[in-house]
Amino acid sequence: PFFLFFSFTTSTITLSIILISDRKMDQKDSFHSAETDPKYDCVLFDVDDTLYPFSSGLAVECRKNIEEYMHQKLGIEESKIEELCTQLYKIYGTTMAGLRAIGYDFDYDDFHSFVHGRLPYNRRLKPDPVLRSILLSLPLRKVIFTNSNEAHAAEVLKVLGLEGCFESIICFETLNPTYSSDKGDCKAGDLETTPITTPFDIMGYGSQPNAETVLPKTPILCKPSEAAFERALEIANINPKRTVFFDDSVRNIQSGKLIGLHTVLVGTSQRIKGADYALESIHNITEALPELWGVDGNSGKVLYPGKVAIEATVTA
């Protein structure tokens, strides 16, 4: 409904039209259209190389620690480690998940402590007040989704100055809540691992793939597994159709797209299949996706569902 109020002067008639909109009105109402409904209600963020740039060097330090762990704790020959690391990451999403899949038995907490606990956070990262301001201004739910352990994610957010910017953190412990450190046995969803007496020759498989060879499954639930995404969304009660997902990994982005998320690849301006957007830096979020703030990207107009008053002047 609308009401007309007229006020007259000697030369001008001022016409004020007050439009009143109610969410309970019929969906066919021309004013309350789908365009006025917020398109998104949640934003999902990866942590490493997403909330901070790869150029920080923290990823290199992390890879170095993983390789040292493989040699010192698992007794893997140094000459094989670099290629093995790459192969496991490529197939299983994380080197840790791959190591468990092919038969290496180790304590998860010990692995995280060795790999992340020794990282030079304060030397590689610095507070990012610009990103903090952007995140705090974002009027949507904000959730972290990372393959790393909780302590690492918390430390990164602390050093970046992003504490309090996120509703919750979905991490290794969230997706893999039940495991016995003594036996190195982890249960994650419906994924099962086949007992292996000697490590599976993943290097041999990589050099001569055999269609008849069945790759061992990992007991660890992590990105880019679609099961990991589905579990994360279930835990956080997130609707993928109304959620934007930011990640630096092409595989993670493509998996996210497959389950219905709106996707943003971070770290490059080159958009790939599965990515709705590509940003060189997370700082470009305001220019690239103004709709996250309820702004129409085409017109630059803020969309206000609810009561709107429009005043027009007519010369008589």
Side-chain angles (χ1 to χ4, degrees):
F2 64 88
F3 303 91
L4 301 183
F5 298 93
F6 295 90
S7 60
F8 298 88
T9 63
T10 56
S11 61
T12 303
I13 299 175
T14 300
L15 172 64
S16 297
I17 306 175
I18 308 300
L19 299 176
I20 302 177
S21 171
D22 190 316
R23 286 187 176 276
K24 295 181 181 179
M25 292 175 65
D26 192 294
Q27 293 297 319
K28 295 181 180 180
D29 189 296
S30 61
F31 174 71
H32 183 59
S33 67
E35 293 182 356
T36 63
D37 290 327
K39 185 176 181 180
Y40 310 110
D41 57 28
C42 183
V43 187
L44 200 59
F45 292 93
D46 175 45
V47 172
D48 296 307
D49 302 326
T50 297
L51 295 181
Y52 62 85
F54 176 79
S55 60
S56 69
L58 197 64
V60 175
E61 298 278 1
C62 189
R63 173 68 178 254
K64 177 183 174 183
N65 288 347
I66 290 175
E67 293 180 351
E68 287 184 10
Y69 184 89
M70 292 169 69
H71 177 60
Q72 295 180 24
K73 298 296 187 86
L74 303 181
I76 301 174
E77 293 180 32
E78 285 187 276
S79 61
K80 298 180 179 180
I81 290 178
E82 184 175 355
E83 186 179 351
L84 178 59
C85 241
T86 300
Q87 190 75 354
L88 294 176
Y89 179 82
K90 179 181 178 181
I91 295 175
Y92 293 101
T94 69
T95 303
M96 180 188 192
L99 287 169
R100 282 290 286 118
I102 64 175
Y104 286 98
D105 195 16
F106 53 88
D107 182 277
Y108 296 160
D109 292 335
D110 182 59
F111 179 93
H112 285 133
S113 178
F114 191 99
V115 171
H116 295 132
R118 306 186 305 155
L119 289 174
Y121 294 102
N122 290 297
R123 183 158 55 86
R124 292 296 184 180
L125 304 177
K126 60 182 180 180
D128 191 341
V130 173
L131 180 55
R132 179 178 179 81
S133 178
I134 290 173
L135 292 172
L136 290 178
S137 72
L138 195 55
L140 303 172
R141 294 179 61 200
K142 295 173 283 289
V143 177
I144 289 291
F145 181 24
T146 175
N147 280 335
S148 73
N149 62 314
E150 184 177 11
H152 170 71
E155 187 63 23
V156 169
L157 296 181
K158 176 182 177 182
V159 176
L160 291 177
L162 303 181
E163 290 178 301
C165 291
F166 301 94
E167 173 186 302
S168 60
I169 297 176
I170 298 174
C171 56
F172 176 83
E173 291 90 342
T174 315
L175 296 180
N176 303 277
T178 306
Y179 65 89
S180 170
S181 295
D182 293 335
K183 297 181 180 180
D185 180 37
C186 172
K187 298 178 181 178
D190 296 326
L191 296 180
E192 297 180 354
T193 184
T194 302
I196 302 173
T197 54
T198 58
F200 177 83
D201 185 13
I202 198 73
M203 301 280 282
Y205 173 84
S207 60
Q208 293 183 328
N210 187 334
E212 296 181 358
T213 301
V214 178
L215 286 172
K217 294 182 179 180
T218 179
I220 294 176
L221 197 58
C222 63
K223 296 181 288 185
S225 162
E226 287 182 47
F229 277 91
E230 291 169 353
R231 180 59 181 148
L233 298 184
E234 179 185 10
I235 291 171
N237 191 27
I238 292 173
N239 178 356
K241 299 296 184 182
R242 295 174 61 80
T243 300
V244 183
F245 172 53
F246 290 79
D247 202 299
D248 66 291
S249 165
V250 171
R251 292 177 306 160
N252 293 347
I253 285 294
Q254 292 175 335
S255 290
K257 190 64 180 176
L258 286 175
I259 66 165
L261 290 164
H262 300 272
T263 55
V264 184
L265 181 63
V266 180
T268 177
S269 57
Q270 187 67 40
R271 193 163 68 88
I272 50 88
K273 182 178 180 181
D276 296 311
Y277 301 89
L279 305 181
E280 193 71 43
S281 166
I282 193 68
H283 291 140
N284 301 136
I285 182 175
T286 52
E287 294 84 5
L289 289 97
E291 58 265 38
L292 294 181
W293 281 264
V295 178
D296 184 340
N298 295 320
S299 67
K301 298 178 85 173
V302 177
L303 304 178
Y304 291 110
K307 299 180 179 180
V308 178
I310 304 172
E311 181 177 276
T313 300
V314 181
T315 301

